[in-house]
Amino acid sequence: MNVLFSNAVLWPFAALIAVPILLHLFARARPRVYLYSSLQFLRRAVREQQRVKKPRDWLLLLARTAWYAALIAAFLQPLWFGGRPSAAAAGRTVVLVVDATASMAARDGAQSHFATACAEAAEILTGLTSRDRANLIWMRAVPRAVFPQPGVNIGYLRNSLRQGRVSTEAADPAAALRLAADMLRDAPGRAEICVVSDFQRTTWRSLGVAVPDGVALVTIPVTKDVVPNLAIARVATRPVQPLAGEEIQAFVEVRNFSPAPRQTVVHAEIGELRSARNVQVPAWGAATAAFVFRAEQPGQAIVAARIEEDEFPDDNAAWRVVDVKPGLRAGLLAANRPTAAAWRRALNALSWAQAVDLPPEGWEAEAARCDALLLCGWDGQGADAVRAAMARGAPVLWYPARNSPAGALGALTDSSAQGVFGWVSPARPLMLQMADAADPAFAVFAGGDRGNPASGAFRGRLSIPSLSADWRPLLNYSDGAPALARYKPSGGTLVLWNLDLAPETSSWATRMEFLPLFGEVLLSSRHADAGADGAPLSTGRPLTLRSDRDLLPQAIRVEAPDGQLHPVSRHTESGPPVYAAGAAERPGLYAWRIEEEVIARTAVNFPPEESDLRPIPPSEISRKGWTALSGGRAARERREGIPLWPWFLGLACASCVGEALLSWYAVKK
């Protein structure tokens, strides 16, 4: 037991506890003996009285001893500590980390978790003296401290708690705890970090943070119950960058964070087009509602989705900005002239494509402005520009240069590839075979009126290194070598083209099947939904705009959903300009304006990881080595100790009353 005595100087008076014992011993002294004529009846009466008197004497002794002991203990003013005793004489340094992220807006009854957290944090500050120092860190996507270092202005921290506002950002608890630990690294006296949070499992379950030696980490959960929630987790579109007049598929994913299945209506709209779907979402599961729209005009189309309001309405709406292109800007690197000439003729024949010739030297800068890359005879130099194009969702069609190193294949697919792309001239012409007839690129040939895409014959091909399981062959040669293969990672698509279109190699470029297959390969390779421009941001992240025009940042303003305007700065000195504003604070649509003209819009959505409102249990917090307390008062008592003198004073009063009752009983007898 950890007990400190505030009046330890009074310890010598503890010897007074021997007073009732000594009185009892003196009372037992034998009286002088006098002889009388007959004592038989007196001795019998004394024996009868002793059966009652002896227990009563022991009870009186116990009551008097307890009265003296309790009174002495009350004057010593003991303090009981649940943990180790506090170094109060040297002062304490306390850093409060209060969760202000989106999940804290959930409510238990009439009060939000954030309001409860602020009240608990204020309770922790109560009792700090002029010898103590404290600071407050708001835990958000980027943690923010009230003071640069812990200070003595406790009243200002209380006022900050009263004026605090919950955000719609995701949490970064590791950064907040590191900031708190840095503040306490050389703090004098007792150092303590108090974390007040809902301890949402998606954020805290896998977190492990080590605090410096001598720093105590105390956690105070503000909720133990699961708040049921229905949320829009994602809005996806295919293709990511459709062409004007092309059909757009929108997919709205709804997640159910509750132990019971729930039904809701998903509403989606693009401009004047509106539609709704009923979805049944299983317990702790997800369901997707699909919508089909068509954007007739180029520009930015807004996909807005919402569901019916529930207990936590902040994540019931989501947006997606779809960049509708007037045509596909296809950057063509023509190192292999015969095949590149066939590709250029095909691009010129497609009404929705525009061929952009890439210079042999320094083509990487121009490639950043293209919607697709066609690398004909590329030797692997400048792989970073190709990876960047794939990361933003652009399809890449690559015909490797003869005798070029195969290492470029590994650089684009994060795999190992040995050897070179050599040239193979078989004795007999190679025929094509369908490898994946279900691929979207072959859908246009399903009716049979556009010919057979596998009808060509070739008198040579490249030797291709062994491809990993992530590759999907579309066409193979009769000897088993891949002729056309697709690699689709999380970003854009890489298509390996092994079809030489020189007249001396094949006449396939003059067949009717070539043009529709070439066009469908490009179109179907855009159907990736990650990393593309227009993908929604989450709150707390910086707003950025990539523009083909060089604009003055002083002339641009970003209009938030509430109408507030934010300044813009330029973040690149060379290449396509990138403009940035501050972090998005609320979900919704942000408009980039030059005076009254809206030049672009950015969709900012609720962070999906904040929708799961399940807390981790205190037992799991304890397994991390952190101390879990029930509230701010418990943290204060753990730090300052629980005064025990009122209990001892009450015990002394009870002992005094007990002695009086026993004495009255003795007189009555």
Side-chain angles (χ1 to χ4, degrees):
M1 179 184 297
N2 295 317
V3 178
L4 288 180
F5 294 91
S6 300
N7 287 338
V9 69
L10 300 179
W11 258 112
F13 289 93
L16 294 176
I17 198 172
V19 171
I21 301 175
L22 293 175
L23 291 176
H24 178 75
L25 293 176
F26 288 141
R28 293 186 60 186
R30 294 180 179 273
R32 183 175 296 178
V33 178
Y34 295 94
L35 299 177
Y36 288 89
S37 59
S38 178
L39 299 177
Q40 179 179 359
F41 296 104
L42 292 176
R43 288 173 177 171
R44 184 183 301 172
V46 169
R47 284 196 299 269
E48 294 296 332
Q49 290 293 328
Q50 288 295 332
R51 294 191 184 100
V52 177
K53 186 177 178 181
K54 286 186 176 180
R56 187 172 65 239
D57 290 345
W58 283 109
L59 289 175
L60 282 172
L61 174 63
L62 180 62
R64 289 167 180 168
T65 305
W67 183 81
Y68 270 79
L71 195 61
I72 293 170
F75 277 101
L76 291 173
Q77 294 187 6
L79 296 173
W80 182 82
F81 293 88
R84 56 174 177 160
S86 173
R92 297 177 293 263
T93 305
V94 180
V95 175
L96 296 173
V97 179
V98 179
D99 193 343
T101 53
S103 64
M104 295 291 287
R107 293 180 175 272
D108 283 336
Q111 185 167 262
S112 69
H113 294 166
F114 180 73
T116 303
C118 290
E120 298 291 355
E123 181 70 24
I124 295 174
L125 292 177
T126 303
L128 293 181
T129 66
S130 59
R131 297 191 303 268
D132 303 325
R133 298 186 303 161
N135 202 355
L136 172 62
I137 296 176
W138 296 112
M139 186 170 67
R140 297 178 176 175
V142 177
R144 304 173 189 175
V146 174
F147 298 144
Q149 292 296 328
V152 296
N153 196 343
I154 308 300
Y156 187 84
L157 295 180
R158 291 198 191 96
N159 188 56
S160 298
L161 287 170
R162 286 192 294 268
Q163 297 179 355
R165 295 292 182 271
V166 67
S167 71
T168 56
E169 303 173 7
D172 189 354
L177 292 177
R178 283 195 300 268
L179 178 59
D182 291 341
M183 292 181 180
L184 296 174
R185 199 168 298 278
D186 298 322
R190 175 81 183 277
E192 187 174 74
I193 301 174
C194 295
V195 183
V196 190
S197 171
D198 59 356
F199 292 97
Q200 188 190 35
R201 70 169 58 196
T202 54
T203 303
W204 291 90
R205 167 158 284 182
S206 59
L207 181 69
V209 177
V211 297
D213 293 338
V215 176
L217 180 59
V218 175
T219 61
I220 301 176
V222 296
T223 180
K224 297 180 181 178
D225 300 326
V226 177
V227 178
N229 184 33
L230 206 61
I232 295 181
R234 191 171 68 114
V235 177
T237 57
R238 293 185 180 179
V240 174
Q241 294 181 338
L243 305 177
E246 189 177 9
E247 190 174 81
I248 302 174
Q249 293 177 299
F251 303 94
V252 181
E253 181 182 340
V254 182
R255 296 194 65 86
N256 179 14
F257 299 102
S258 69
R262 303 180 66 177
Q263 185 173 354
T264 189
V265 179
V266 182
H267 301 269
E269 59 180 85
I270 296 182
E272 300 297 326
L273 302 175
R274 292 175 173 82
S275 186
R277 299 283 188 275
N278 287 310
V279 293
Q280 181 76 22
V281 193
W284 308 115
T288 301
F291 302 88
V292 178
F293 299 97
R294 192 179 299 274
E296 300 295 343
Q297 301 297 326
Q300 285 189 325
I302 308 298
V303 179
R306 61 180 177 84
I307 58 176
E308 299 169 334
E309 286 199 3
D310 60 355
E311 296 86 349
F312 188 62
D314 291 354
D315 53 9
N316 292 347
W319 298 265
R320 177 81 185 228
V321 176
V322 182
D323 193 5
V324 181
K325 299 284 187 180
L328 193 71
R329 286 173 49 88
L332 178 60
L333 182 64
N336 184 306
R337 295 186 179 276
T339 301
W343 284 3
R344 184 180 289 105
R345 289 195 302 270
L347 291 173
N348 294 334
L350 297 171
S351 60
W352 45 265
Q354 176 188 357
V356 178
D357 289 324
L358 300 179
E361 302 293 335
W363 58 271
E364 294 88 351
E366 185 63 30
R369 305 175 186 270
C370 296
D371 305 317
L373 292 182
L374 280 67
L375 307 178
C376 189
W378 179 52
D379 58 2
Q381 299 296 321
D384 290 342
V386 180
R387 290 178 65 95
M390 295 173 62
R392 67 174 188 269
V396 177
L397 193 63
W398 177 30
Y399 180 41
R402 295 185 184 182
N403 300 318
S404 61
L409 184 65
L412 297 181
T413 60
D414 295 325
S415 60
S416 59
Q418 304 294 329
V420 297
F421 293 104
W423 182 255
V424 177
S425 298
R428 301 177 60 183
L430 297 172
M431 309 302 294
L432 293 178
Q433 298 174 349
M434 297 283 287
D436 188 1
D439 190 87
F442 299 126
V444 71
F445 300 98
D449 56 343
R450 295 182 181 270
N452 179 14
S455 59
F458 293 79
R459 288 183 287 272
R461 63 168 179 83
L462 292 175
S463 59
I464 303 296
S466 178
L467 300 179
S468 66
D470 296 326
W471 286 87
R472 289 181 56 189
L474 306 183
L475 292 174
N476 286 334
Y477 286 110
S478 53
D479 62 356
L484 194 65
R486 191 198 309 270
Y487 174 78
K488 184 174 288 189
S490 58
T493 302
L494 175 65
V495 178
L496 185 62
W497 183 281
N498 190 14
L499 299 166
D500 192 88
L501 302 181
E504 62 272 15
T505 304
S506 173
S507 62
W508 191 62
T510 62
R511 299 180 63 88
M512 62 177 293
E513 298 87 358
F514 168 68
L515 181 61
L517 179 61
F518 180 84
E520 290 300 317
V521 167
L522 280 181
L523 290 177
S524 61
S525 298
R526 297 172 304 143
H527 290 190
D529 188 39
D533 291 342
L537 297 173
S538 293
T539 48
R541 304 301 177 188
L543 294 162
T544 59
L545 174 67
R546 189 184 302 272
S547 176
D548 293 334
R549 295 187 293 171
D550 197 354
L551 305 171
L552 290 175
Q554 296 83 355
I556 308 175
R557 292 291 184 271
V558 174
E559 183 180 1
D562 58 2
Q564 186 178 0
L565 297 178
H566 300 276
V568 174
S569 60
R570 177 169 174 160
H571 275 209
T572 54
E573 299 295 336
S574 60
V578 176
Y579 302 94
E585 297 181 354
R586 304 294 302 176
L589 292 173
Y590 289 73
W592 298 77
R593 290 182 174 274
I594 297 181
E595 295 182 351
E596 298 300 322
E597 179 189 3
V598 177
I599 61 174
R601 286 185 172 86
T602 300
V604 177
N605 287 339
F606 187 90
E609 61 271 22
E610 291 291 306
S611 294
D612 188 354
L613 303 178
R614 288 175 290 177
I616 60 176
S619 59
E620 193 165 333
I621 296 177
S622 301
R623 283 197 294 270
K624 294 178 179 291
W626 306 340
T627 302
L629 301 179
S630 59
R633 183 175 181 179
R636 194 185 72 185
E637 291 175 346
R638 181 180 183 272
R639 184 178 67 240
E640 301 173 1
I642 301 175
L644 299 181
W645 68 265
W647 297 91
F648 285 113
L649 186 60
L651 179 60
C653 294
S655 300
C656 185
V657 172
E659 181 189 3
L661 292 175
L662 287 171
S663 299
W664 172 79
Y665 179 76
V667 172
K668 185 177 179 181
K669 289 295 185 179

